[in-house]
Amino acid sequence: MKHTSTKRIGLLTVLALLWLAFVQGANAQVSVTLAWDPSPDTVAGYNVYVGTASGVYGSPINNHLNTTITLTLNSGQTYYFVVTAYDAAGVESLPSNQATFVPPPPQTNAPPVTPSSLTIANSGQLIISAGAVANGTCVLQISSTLTNWKSVATGPTAQPFAFVTPLPGLPVWHYYRALWVSGPADNAGISRALSINNFSPEIVGFVTISAPHSSYTAFANPFVTGDNSVAALLPSMPEGTQLFKYSTGAGYTTNICSGGVWTDGSATLNPGEAGFLYNPSLRNVLMTFAGAILQSTVSNTIPAGYSLVSPMIPLPGAISTFPAQGGDQIQFFEKKKWTTYTYIGNHWALSGPNYNPIVFTPGRAFFITKKTTGVWTQTY
C-alpha cells in the first residue's frame, strides 16, 4: 500500500464475534466486526485491508465514513487487519495498528445423542441417575409443575450421570427430566438439543406427604416404580398402621402393618388408586414416593356411587379434568376434619354462596360420590 498523508487513524479493534453458521467441515464461516476511532482530521472515508499473513494485505475495502465494518470470513484461518483514512484526493493516511483475529475451530452439526433412561431411587436419599451416552452430556432439569423447568446440574460428557439430594423434611414434590446434549453442554449445544426436544424418555419425581399422628390420611402414589406393592412403597410404618382401600359396592379392605410386615404386602398402589391410612402412633410420619410419571393419554374409570380416587398424572389443576356432573360431591379428609365440595354450576363449591377452588396437590386423594359413571382422562 502507498501512504503519503500524515492523517491519523484511531485504534483498530475487533469489536464483536459471532458464528454465522454451523456446517460440516472446513467451510464453516464466522462473522467478525471491526471498529476504530474516527480520525481527528478531516477525511473523505476509510479503507479496510484484510490479509492472512502479518503485514501482507489484499485490495482495500472502501468503508466510506463508517467506523465499523462486519466481514464474513472462513474459519480455520488467522486474519490480520489495518485501516487507513483517505482525503478528497484519495490520498491515504498511515495505517492503523494491526488487529488480529483467530476464529474458533468450526463446529459441526453433530447428530443428536440418543437419550438414556432416567431413574430415581429412594434409599434414605434421592438418587437421580442415567447411564453414559457416547459423546453425550446430561443436563438435569427440575420442575414442581411439569410445565416450567430449570437446569440444576450438568454431568460429565460420555459418562454416567448421578444427582443426589437429601430426602425433604416437609411435604413437597419435584419432577426431573434430562436434556441430552451432543458433546459439551455449551450454549450452542443446549440450544440445539432444546430445538429437537432431545429429552430422556422418562420424567421422574418424588412426593413427600405427612400422615398425621392418631389420625387418617387419604393419599396416593402418583408414580410407576419397579414395584408398586404396599410392601415396597410403605416398608417402615408404625406398628399397627392400617391401610384401607375402598371398592365401590364391596366396601373397605383392611391391611395392617405388624412387626414391619403388612397383612397383604402384595396389594398395589398404582397411579389412580388411593388409600386411606390410619397412623396410630404419637408422631407424624413422612411418606415419600418416587418413580416415573405416566405420559401420553391415560384414563381411569370412576364408578357411580362412592369411591376413593386420585389422578393418574400429578398435573397442577388435575381436578379440572375430572368428569364432574351436577350434584357430584368430593370429600377431603385433612387436619382431622372432612371438607365437602359439591359440583354446582360447572364448578366445585363449599357450602354457602361463594366459589371455593380446589387446590389439588400431588399425593392427595379424595372420596367421590358420583351420580353416574365417568372416565377421568388426562394427557401429558
Side-chain angles (χ1 to χ4, degrees):
M1 292 181 296
K2 183 178 180 180
H3 307 284
T4 59
S5 173
T6 60
K7 295 184 185 297
R8 294 167 291 167
I9 188 73
L11 179 67
L12 175 65
T13 61
V14 177
L15 182 66
L17 310 178
L18 173 68
W19 281 103
L20 282 183
F22 295 91
V23 294
Q24 189 72 34
N27 293 325
Q29 292 185 311
V30 294
S31 176
V32 59
T33 298
L34 308 174
W36 56 92
D37 299 327
S39 171
D41 303 311
T42 301
V43 300
Y46 300 96
N47 284 329
V48 179
Y49 292 85
V50 183
T52 56
S54 179
V56 180
Y57 312 104
S59 300
I61 301 171
N62 187 352
N63 204 45
H64 305 288
L65 287 171
N66 299 311
T67 56
T68 65
I69 187 171
T70 298
L71 303 171
T72 299
L73 308 170
N74 292 328
S75 63
Q77 174 68 60
T78 300
Y79 291 90
Y80 303 88
F81 313 93
V82 294
V83 174
T84 65
Y86 60 85
D87 60 20
V91 178
E92 292 184 278
S93 70
L94 295 172
S96 68
N97 63 294
Q98 179 176 270
T100 305
F101 171 55
V102 181
Q107 299 190 29
T108 61
N109 276 325
V113 298
T114 301
S116 171
S117 296
L118 192 67
T119 62
I120 188 168
N122 174 10
S123 58
Q125 58 185 357
L126 294 168
I127 304 173
I128 299 96
S129 57
V133 173
N135 198 38
T137 304
C138 178
V139 177
L140 187 69
Q141 297 186 314
I142 188 172
S143 174
S144 60
T145 63
L146 288 172
T147 53
N148 299 316
W149 297 86
K150 68 177 182 178
S151 299
V152 291
T154 300
T157 301
Q159 295 185 35
F161 173 86
F163 177 78
V164 181
T165 182
L167 281 175
L170 295 173
V172 71
W173 59 92
H174 281 129
Y175 310 107
Y176 301 90
R177 69 181 183 184
L179 176 68
W180 286 94
V181 180
S182 298
D186 55 18
N187 289 339
I190 290 174
S191 295
R192 290 196 298 272
L194 287 171
S195 70
I196 58 172
N197 293 319
N198 203 35
F199 296 108
S200 55
E202 299 81 14
I203 294 177
V204 301
F206 74 90
V207 57
T208 297
I209 59 177
S210 178
H213 67 86
S214 307
S215 187
Y216 293 86
T217 302
F219 74 100
N221 161 42
F223 303 109
V224 176
T225 73
D227 185 354
N228 271 13
S229 68
V230 170
L233 295 173
L234 299 171
S236 303
M237 298 302 292
E239 182 73 13
T241 296
Q242 298 179 63
L243 174 61
F244 305 94
K245 294 186 71 176
Y246 190 87
S247 177
T248 302
Y252 286 101
T253 58
T254 305
N255 209 342
I256 300 175
C257 184
S258 178
V261 178
W262 289 94
T263 305
D264 181 8
S266 64
T268 60
L269 284 171
N270 293 311
E273 297 180 341
F276 198 47
L277 184 138
Y278 178 69
N279 173 14
S281 71
L282 298 179
R283 62 181 178 88
N284 296 344
V285 175
L286 295 180
M287 300 183 294
T288 297
F289 304 106
I293 70 162
L294 294 168
Q295 297 185 67
S296 71
T297 299
V298 295
S299 297
N300 192 15
T301 299
I302 311 300
Y306 192 66
S307 60
L308 176 60
V309 298
S310 69
M312 299 182 73
I313 303 175
L315 285 165
I319 198 68
S320 66
T321 60
F322 186 83
Q325 294 173 294
D328 288 352
Q329 286 192 324
I330 281 178
Q331 288 183 301
F332 289 104
F333 187 82
E334 291 183 330
K335 299 179 179 179
K336 302 185 179 183
K337 68 177 184 179
W338 291 97
T339 303
T340 301
Y341 291 82
T342 304
Y343 196 72
I344 302 173
N346 295 321
H347 63 258
W348 295 101
L350 292 170
S351 299
N354 296 324
Y355 164 65
N356 297 90
I358 296 176
V359 180
F360 198 88
T361 55
R364 198 176 186 188
F366 57 87
F367 293 89
I368 176 75
T369 302
K370 192 140 182 26
K371 294 294 185 181
T372 60
T373 300
V375 178
W376 193 351
T377 300
Q378 293 180 275
T379 299
Y380 182 73

